[in-house]
Amino acid sequence: MQLCEGAARRRVPLDLILVDPAPEAGRGTAYATEVPEHRLNVPVGGMSCYPDDPGHFRRWLCRHGEPTVTAADFASRHRYGSYLADTLGRAIITAHGTVRVRRLRTRAVGCADAAGGRLELRLADGGTVTADSVVLATGPAAGRSGWAPAELLASDRFVPHPWAPGALDAVGAADDVLLVGTGLTAVDLALVLDRPGRTVHAVSRGGLLPQPHAVAPLPPVPPPPGLDALPFHRLRREVRRHFAATRRAHGDWRPALDGLRPEIARLWQGLTDDERAEFLGRDATPWNVHRHRMAPSTAETVARARAARRLRIHAGRIAAAAPREDGGLTVTLADGRAVRVAWVVDCTGPGLRADGGGDPLWSGLLSGGLAAPGPLGIGVSTDGGRLLDARGRLERPLFTLGAPRRGELWETTAIPEIRAQAKEVAEAVLAPLAGAPRPVRRRPADPFGLPLSTHAAAAAAFRCGLARVMTVRAKAAESFARATALDPGFALGHAALALLGHECGADVDVARALADAQRSVRERGDERERSFVDVVTRRVREHEGPGGAGTGDGDTALVDHLGRFPSDAFALAVAVPTIAFSGVADLDGTLALGLVEGTASAYEGHWFHTSLLSFVRQEQGRIDEAGELAREALAAQPASGHAVHALAHVHYESGDHRAGRDWLDGWIGGQGRGAVHRAHFSWHVALHELALDDSAAVRRRWFAQLAPGQVNGVRALVDSGSLLWRARMSRNWAGRVPVDGVLDAVARDLVERPSTAFTALHGALALAAAGDLPALRRLRTHAAGADPVQREVVVPLCTALEAVVEEEWSTAVRELRGLLPSLRRVGGSAAQREVVEETLLYALVEAGHRDTARHLLEQRLDRRASPLDRRRLAGLAR
């Protein structure tokens, strides 16, 4: 595929000969199976043919009968074989006129030098092929059954090659079977053989089955820096700490391994041969069990078979085998246990040596000196995929990829690694061809197909950060920092860091990141990247003037950017925030709806866009529709913070407080453990507890999850401080509220000189709770000289809150009622802005306006049920 497309792009005439005995190109052994239960053990999102287009396979599935498939699903292996064959066919069609493709259904059995620096392949059918370059894409070496006793090897009830055509045809319906090995091959065979009336045994030295993939996978967690500089014993310790820390933070070890995966080849290459041997002897088995995982559906099927005792796992080594009178075998393990079965199947998997199965092609190359063994004799030695000969020279145009490079790379047998190697080999093969122009590299892309002006490794780190932004999870800045460390000229990585530092308080030198973004985008950036850097520049700089008064210039640039590049998910998350960003000022329902609906076609129902639409719908009051959309998004991505946030509002606005409290509390302790702004979700639970009039629960929630130390910075102001004020206004907090700690956890300028009206509103509430009239007046003075929203909304709010502190209730009522119609302009959600209505209700009661307070409570109860409001209404009747 890569050769076809590379030659077509360069207009390099090429004769491409595929030597492959399989009935259909692309399937091989792994993808030829038609058993529906045989699933890929990598999710759809990781199985694209193209390293720079991770969504390619998912889009293919959508076009071929699976429109609802997501990147986290596990497709059948047969479907993947169809995808490979179809993609290859399309590449050949695209290259027609430049590339001529022939396919020989035979096997290569030898390779030798030919005249003119070319190579000659000998074929199993007696023919030969002479070529300018040869790529040996032979896959894993066949394993050897060296573990098997002689009597077992001699038995006709021993199956050494389970995937050979007809290998299991003779197995009777009631025959018990012993699988030797408990890895993925054994799992596949167990699925095929499982049926009532049969017991399938599986044995390996450790007796360990592969771990399952998570049903709802979390984004990868990058490992700590500096691992490659550690000796092996410290490397092992730090990796274990990385796994333990990830499990504590996210409730799952898998993100740690997934984050480590891009580093594995580099770490392996930094080990000595003695350290590699130590790893193979001590760590390889547990590593493989955790690294090569089962699809969730496969794991569930295996668990059911084990529970029913149709699948039994043994730890041990086979010591002997003896025939029985009924034709079966008694297999004895080293500890003396005996297993009586009709058949024994070798499922120990591929060998590590290139000629592990006696392959004549690789055996001849190694014995003839055209290839050299890799480290510890595993695979072969290469330089970027080109084979080194026995003297360590690169004299022949002979290449390989995948499993034969395992000794050098270790992590090299899965599609994400093979596709990158295929691209590298294709470019190396095409480069020396006469008249070939300089390679035009296909740029990697983000999850929605937008090109990224960087290399594959930095693009992968950027995508990881973007995934965290889209799910509202922690450590997005760390991923973007890794992207810029891998590629210091990657403009989008620098711009993302600047934006997170400016708007989310990430530990970033904003000015430096912004300058790096501007420099990098001038040197290397397309129109979309230049536009995004300009948006970030304007949003940062518009608050640098006196008082941080915003000009709206950044908002205008952001909306214009989305009009031209609607599939820029990062920009959309900034413009239509639910939690993380400040969003577009004056983002009323019409503008928010316009931005979300105007970008719908670019996302094709993707869970991220559905999450944002759900949030907009609940703000419009379309609560039932919002709930349906939120649940749809969560079914596709249970970690979506935007969808969780929308559903939290749906529960609140529906008056479904008990169910909302319990559901959200459970999410916080599970999927939400890795969420950024986790305090805001705790605030939502506390809001339900307030509505339920459960003052003890509110206090417990505040001290456990929202007190300073648990929450700091702007979240302490917006969530912790506002909750204390609401609790006081609803008379659910007796005595003085502990707001001083909140103010101590926030920079004073953020409280008294905020850059946005939304922050100013929450600063005013915290200062009122503290009774700090001088600071409240300083905030009012600042707001009077700031942007129009602060002048027209925050100034009267400060006046009203001063009146509340001084118990001038008539003034407080007048000012609060006057600003309610324009309150929406400060941004945030209706639930957040409701704190002003709570303050008005308190002031009305204190001012003696009981009829007006009663009317307001009745209106609120018409909107949603609330034990708190029922209690307050009953109190007014007395």
Side-chain angles (χ1 to χ4, degrees), residues 502-503 535-543 555 558 582-583:
H502 171 66
E503 297 211 15
V535 167
V536 177
T537 300
R538 292 171 186 268
R539 288 182 73 82
V540 171
R541 288 184 174 171
E542 71 177 341
H543 295 299
D555 292 346
L558 180 55
S582 61

Side-chain angles (χ1 to χ4, degrees), residues 15 143 190 222 343 412 442 536 545 557 627 734 790:
D15 284 335
W343 298 85
T412 183
R442 181 172 178 172
V536 177
Q790 292 204 50

